[in-house]
């Protein structure tokens, strides 16, 4: 845990609290009027302008082979279980993971730096004197995969399109953009209103650039199985709707020799098969139909990897270090429903989650207990608030729970019995204080209405975790039930906030942006379909702390703002933290090679690893 210098805390004393919440100067340490090869929220870049490749790649990795890949993460409207559209850029429909491989962006992230991007489509970027304007000089050789040039007009078209019709995560990040102009075919000017954070532009430059010509003749916001025209290292190949998608490497990809791409995108083909049932997906891996799998079920990891291919050495089972990024897995109680608005009710329900029993019986002691929305990072609050945190919190003391200003709130520890009488007794007392009185087997309010909690689940693994939680709720009179629905219905109910109790696992990035924080916590997102403010949080204090984080001029200021935010979230219990996994649990058929030193801020095996012909031949996969 990083220790912050006392002088930096004191610099944010009470008298400076209001100033700390006001917009600051984005990229204050970066020179203006100079062409830059990269950007970082706080100025420092690891790689010089003439770098040849990222340190975490093998620049000589061979091209070829195929990886049948089970993706462990997704973005925007992507689904793990099925798909009914190839358009991942809008809210409508379920698309397959990794469609982003088909598109290039203005700049690309470095996975060994927490907040740095380097030129991809853009050869350079120049900041205006007021730091609200960005001039991108595009690479003249940039091409779409049909050979047509990718120009400034495409960049402008794409960003304006997203702002108007794109997935809410895209349109929200562009709300501060006031102008996008194609100065000439290779020059783009983007202008912002001055309210954006330094991190905001890092989100914008990572957005996929689509073809103006393609979407002039094809409807952008349609749910369609027509492959889009891209410019990236892969294109969509064979598709069986809802079952299989293949991404084929573009042999003459225009950007293959760029420093940001060298050593990446090595497989000729990446195939994703979709299984509605987790066990069926595991059986496909055991047979070799799937080549790489990150195991999400502790029971299977502990007891299921005893099949012949693993015993014969054809399959490798190992763990890789997790990222140095905050980890969030938590439950939201939907405060749009009145029964969940009282924090005492939320605390009572939290008391019914017996992590210690689940850890022993279901998790085989493989998980860690979450207490924070920023586990595994310096942003997790510890102990009493620092002077800097207090400076940010004091203006909102009247609004915030008293616990905000004490020791950072921790989740209760049970006796591991699965039915801790002390915790359940405390939960019953909290319900009574909140006005829920026992009437027979249930607690009811003054109108005689039961306290109902419907737990929304998409797959069997969650049902197993929710079942003991529900049983403890029933023991204290809550009418708890579990509703398991299919993937399409699950995504729709999430997007429409049509649930009472829902779990979310979320990666917020090593340097959380205001945009990313707003998706989860900002008051405006409580009423915006498709966002992840599942609890319906509406708090001026939280909104102000997000602004403070977005305007941080140094990592020290960012850490201070996020620790203060963490204290508020934990005291309010908008999200009930559950558990997290410290490492990646991975199994793969021994036909790949990779750099042994994993980057700190990502684990994209499908783009970083490569096919090893010799290994594949030895296990009969050549």
């Amino acid at each position: 845990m990083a220790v912050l210098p006392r002088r930096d805390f004191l610099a944010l004393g009470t008298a400076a609290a209001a100033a700390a919440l006001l917009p600051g100067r984005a990229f204050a340490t970066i020179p203006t009027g100079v062409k830059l090869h990269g950007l970082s929220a706080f100025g420092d870049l690891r790689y010089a302008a003439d770098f040849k490749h990222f340190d975490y790649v093998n620049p000589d990795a061979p091209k070829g082979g195929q990886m049948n890949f089970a993706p462990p993460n997704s973005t925007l409207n992507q689904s793990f279980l099925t798909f009914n559209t190839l358009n991942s850029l809008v809210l409508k429909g379920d698309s397959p993971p990794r469609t982003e491989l088909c598109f290039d962006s203005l700049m690309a992230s470095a996975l060994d730096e927490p907040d740095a991007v380097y030129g991809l489509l853009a050869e350079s970027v120049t900041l205006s004197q007021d730091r609200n304007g960005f001039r991108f000089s595009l690479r003249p050789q940039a091409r779409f995969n049909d050979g047509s040039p990718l120009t400034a007009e495409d960049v402008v078209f794409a960003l304006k399109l997203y702002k108007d019709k794109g997935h809410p995560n895209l349109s929200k990040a562009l709300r501060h953009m006031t102008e996008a102009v194609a100065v000439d075919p290779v020059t783009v000017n983007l202008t912002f209103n001055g309210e954006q954070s330094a991190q905001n532009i890092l989100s914008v430059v990572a957005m996929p650039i689509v073809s103006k010509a393609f979407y002039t003749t094809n409807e952008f916001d349609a749910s369609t199985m027509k492959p889009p025209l891209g410019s990236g290292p892969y294109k969509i190949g064979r598709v069986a709707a809802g079952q299989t998608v293949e991404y084929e490497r573009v042999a003459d990809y225009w950007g293959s020799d760029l420093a940001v791409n060298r050593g990446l995108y090595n497989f000729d083909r990446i195939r994703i098969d979709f299984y509605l049932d987790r066990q069926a997906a595991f059986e496909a891996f055991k047979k070799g139909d799937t080549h790489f799998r990150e195991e999400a079920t502790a029971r299977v990891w502990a007891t299921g990897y005893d099949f012949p291919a693993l015993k014969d050495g054809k399959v490798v089972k190992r763990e890789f270090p997790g990222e140095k990024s905050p980890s969030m897995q938590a439950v939201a109680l939907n405060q749009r429903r009145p029964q969940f608005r009282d924090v005492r009710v939320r605390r009572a329900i939290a008391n019914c989650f017996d992590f210690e029993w689940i850890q022993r019986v279901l998790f085989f002691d493989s998980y860690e207990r979450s207490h924070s929305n920023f586990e595994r990072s310096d942003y997790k609050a510890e102990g009493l608030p620092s002077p800097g945190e207090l400076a940010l919190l004091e203006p909102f003391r009247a609004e915030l729970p008293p616990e905000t200003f004490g020791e950072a709130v921790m989740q209760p520890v049970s006796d591991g019995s699965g039915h801790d009488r002390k915790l359940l007794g405390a939960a019953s007392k909290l319900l009574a204080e909140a006005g829920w009185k026992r009437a027979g087997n249930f607690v009811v309010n003054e109108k005689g209405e039961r306290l109902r909690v419907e737990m929304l689940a998409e797959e069997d693994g969650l049902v197993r975790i929710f079942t003991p939680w529900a049983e403890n709720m029933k023991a204290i009179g809550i009418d708890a039930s579990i509703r398991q629905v299919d993937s399409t219905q699950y995504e729709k109910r999430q997007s429409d906030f049509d649930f009472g109790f829902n779990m979310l696992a979320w990666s917020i990035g090593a340097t959380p942006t205001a945009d990313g924080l707003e998706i989860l916590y900002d008051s405006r997102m409580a009423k915006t379909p498709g966002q992840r403010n599942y609890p319906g949080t509406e708090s001026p204090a939280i909104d102000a702390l997000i602004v403070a984080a977005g305007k941080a001029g140094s990592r020290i200021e960012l850490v201070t703002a996020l620790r203060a935010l963490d204290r508020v979230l934990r005291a309010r219990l908008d999200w009930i933290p559950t558990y997290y996994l410290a490492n990646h649990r991975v199994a793969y058929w021994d036909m790949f090679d990779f750099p042994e030193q994993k980057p700190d801020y990502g684990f994209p095996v499908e783009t970083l690893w490569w096919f090893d012909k010799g290994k594949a031949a030895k296990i009969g996969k050549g």
Side-chain angles (χ1 to χ4, degrees):
M1 185 67 66
V3 179
L4 303 182
R6 183 171 183 270
R7 63 180 180 276
D8 293 301
F9 282 133
L10 295 180
L12 284 172
T14 304
L21 298 177
L22 294 174
R25 297 187 72 202
F27 298 110
T29 62
I30 297 178
T32 61
V34 177
K35 288 188 174 184
L36 305 168
H37 70 290
L39 289 173
S40 170
F42 302 121
D44 296 329
L45 290 172
R46 177 187 181 112
Y47 295 97
D50 60 349
F51 82 102
K52 304 302 181 186
H53 58 83
F54 292 131
D55 291 344
Y56 52 83
V57 307
N58 173 8
D60 301 316
K63 306 294 185 184
Q66 176 170 321
M67 175 182 272
N68 294 358
F69 173 63
N73 48 43
S74 63
T75 185
L76 300 177
N77 70 353
Q78 296 174 357
S79 170
F80 300 113
L81 301 182
T82 188
F83 65 99
N84 50 38
T85 180
L86 296 176
N87 184 358
S88 64
L89 301 174
V90 295
L91 182 58
K92 185 189 303 182
D94 299 309
S95 69
R98 300 306 179 267
T99 54
E100 60 271 21
L101 295 176
C102 300
F103 300 97
D104 283 324
S105 53
L106 287 170
M107 307 185 86
S109 298
L111 298 182
D112 52 358
E113 296 180 86
D115 56 24
V117 290
Y118 294 88
L120 201 173
L121 288 171
E123 192 168 31
S124 67
V125 57
T126 305
L127 275 66
S128 65
Q129 188 172 1
D130 66 1
R131 303 177 192 276
N132 292 324
F134 300 82
R135 170 166 286 198
F136 295 92
S137 298
L138 304 185
R139 301 182 193 272
Q141 68 269 36
R143 292 287 185 274
F144 287 104
N145 292 331
D146 65 353
S148 61
L150 189 157
T151 70
E153 288 285 349
D154 296 297
V155 176
V156 170
F157 173 81
L159 298 182
K160 287 183 176 180
L161 191 63
Y162 299 154
K163 186 173 182 178
D164 183 36
K165 297 181 178 181
H167 188 282
N169 289 5
L170 298 173
S171 59
K172 184 180 66 62
L174 289 162
R175 71 187 186 281
H176 296 306
M177 187 183 77
T178 57
E179 191 175 44
V181 176
V183 178
D184 59 44
V186 294
T187 308
V188 176
N189 283 352
L190 302 183
T191 305
F192 293 78
N193 60 14
E195 297 179 9
Q196 79 283 356
S197 66
Q199 298 97 313
N200 178 248
I201 190 64
L202 302 184
S203 299
V204 173
V205 299
M207 291 182 180
I209 301 304
V210 297
S211 164
K212 179 179 180 179
F214 181 86
Y215 281 114
T216 299
T217 57
N218 293 273
E219 187 179 358
F220 170 70
D221 53 0
S223 183
T224 176
M225 296 302 293
K226 181 176 182 177
L229 175 62
S231 62
Y234 286 90
K235 62 182 179 180
I236 294 175
R238 191 174 77 85
V239 173
Q243 300 176 32
T244 300
V245 63
E246 293 183 354
Y247 298 99
E248 297 178 354
R249 188 169 63 84
V250 177
D252 58 350
Y253 170 47
W254 75 271
S256 59
D257 291 329
L258 297 179
V260 294
N261 289 332
R262 195 165 293 128
L264 297 171
Y265 313 118
N266 302 312
F267 295 108
D268 280 348
R269 186 175 294 103
I270 299 170
R271 174 179 170 132
I272 300 174
D273 292 311
F274 294 78
Y275 299 91
L276 293 175
D277 179 75
R278 189 183 291 271
Q279 185 60 37
F282 185 46
E283 294 299 325
F285 174 75
K286 290 161 65 174
K287 291 189 298 182
D289 293 341
T290 302
H291 301 150
F292 174 92
R293 171 185 173 88
E294 186 162 345
E295 185 54 64
T297 303
R299 174 183 55 82
V300 175
W301 185 251
T303 65
Y305 285 81
D306 59 354
F307 49 92
L310 190 138
K311 293 178 179 178
D312 294 343
K314 295 180 178 181
V315 169
V316 177
K317 177 191 178 192
R318 64 173 287 185
E319 295 190 14
F320 290 84
E323 283 66 66
K324 295 180 179 179
S325 303
S327 172
M328 172 186 167
Q329 181 155 303
V331 159
L333 293 171
N334 190 349
Q335 295 170 43
R336 300 169 189 84
R337 300 184 177 184
Q339 68 266 36
F340 301 128
R341 291 174 189 162
D342 192 314
V343 68
R344 291 169 295 189
V345 172
R346 302 197 292 273
R347 286 177 182 160
I349 291 172
N351 272 19
C352 294
F353 178 55
D354 193 331
F355 171 77
E356 285 67 31
W357 184 87
I358 290 175
Q359 167 79 325
R360 174 173 55 84
V361 176
L362 299 181
F363 289 168
F364 296 85
D365 294 320
S366 61
Y367 284 90
E368 304 290 335
R369 181 64 158 114
S370 288
H371 297 279
S372 163
N373 286 24
F374 305 114
E375 290 289 351
R376 301 192 312 190
S377 76
D378 288 347
Y379 310 130
K380 178 181 179 180
E382 302 277 5
L384 293 170
S386 69
E389 292 168 50
L390 285 174
L392 296 172
L393 295 170
E394 282 292 349
F396 304 97
R397 183 178 280 272
E399 172 201 334
L400 296 172
E403 294 85 355
T404 308
F405 299 90
E407 296 276 344
V409 172
M410 304 291 283
Q411 293 302 300
V413 177
S414 80
D415 61 10
S417 66
H419 190 81
D420 188 316
R421 292 188 176 185
K422 183 177 179 180
L423 286 181
L424 295 181
S428 292
K429 183 178 179 181
L430 286 166
L431 292 181
E433 291 173 356
W436 296 91
K437 306 301 182 184
R438 194 81 183 215
N441 292 328
F442 301 99
V443 292
V444 297
N445 61 15
E446 59 184 11
K447 297 179 181 178
E449 299 166 333
R450 294 180 186 177
L451 176 53
R452 287 188 167 90
V453 177
E454 183 185 81
M455 310 168 83
L456 187 64
E458 183 182 20
E459 45 87 32
D460 294 341
L462 277 183
V463 172
R464 283 192 293 272
I465 294 165
F466 287 171
T467 297
W469 199 340
E471 291 303 314
N472 276 339
M473 282 193 269
K474 290 176 183 177
I476 62 171
I478 298 174
D479 187 3
S481 61
I482 300 171
R483 173 66 64 87
Q484 186 174 2
V485 298
D486 62 40
S487 177
T488 299
Q489 188 178 357
Y490 186 79
E491 289 300 323
K492 179 171 175 51
R493 290 187 64 172
Q494 285 191 130
S495 295
D496 294 342
F497 305 128
D498 180 20
F499 59 85
F501 175 115
N502 189 32
M503 181 179 283
L504 176 69
W506 191 261
S507 176
I508 204 167
T511 302
T513 67
D515 297 321
L517 295 167
E518 287 169 356
I519 289 170
L520 294 166
Y521 312 123
D522 188 86
S523 297
R524 291 166 297 181
M525 301 302 111
K527 296 180 174 66
T528 306
Q531 296 301 292
R532 296 294 191 263
N533 185 346
Y534 291 154
T537 303
E538 295 185 74
S539 163
I542 289 176
D543 295 344
L545 291 169
I546 292 172
V547 171
K551 302 306 178 185
S554 68
R555 187 159 292 279
I556 289 173
E557 292 178 8
L558 179 65
V559 168
T560 301
L562 291 180
R563 286 182 181 176
L565 175 61
D566 189 36
R567 290 183 187 280
V568 174
L569 293 169
R570 290 160 70 174
R572 285 175 49 101
L573 209 63
D574 289 279
W575 295 86
I576 301 174
T578 53
Y579 51 88
Y580 68 95
L581 189 63
N583 297 320
H584 294 279
R585 298 181 300 211
V586 163
Y588 56 92
W589 285 75
D590 193 13
M591 51 197 283
F592 308 115
D593 208 347
F594 48 85
E596 189 59 37
Q597 187 63 42
K598 173 190 163 293
D600 288 336
Y601 301 104
F603 190 46
V605 299
E606 71 278 20
T607 60
L608 185 59
W609 290 17
W610 61 92
F611 186 77
D612 187 308
K613 291 182 179 179
K615 288 184 176 181
K618 287 182 180 179
I619 64 171
K621 291 283 188 179

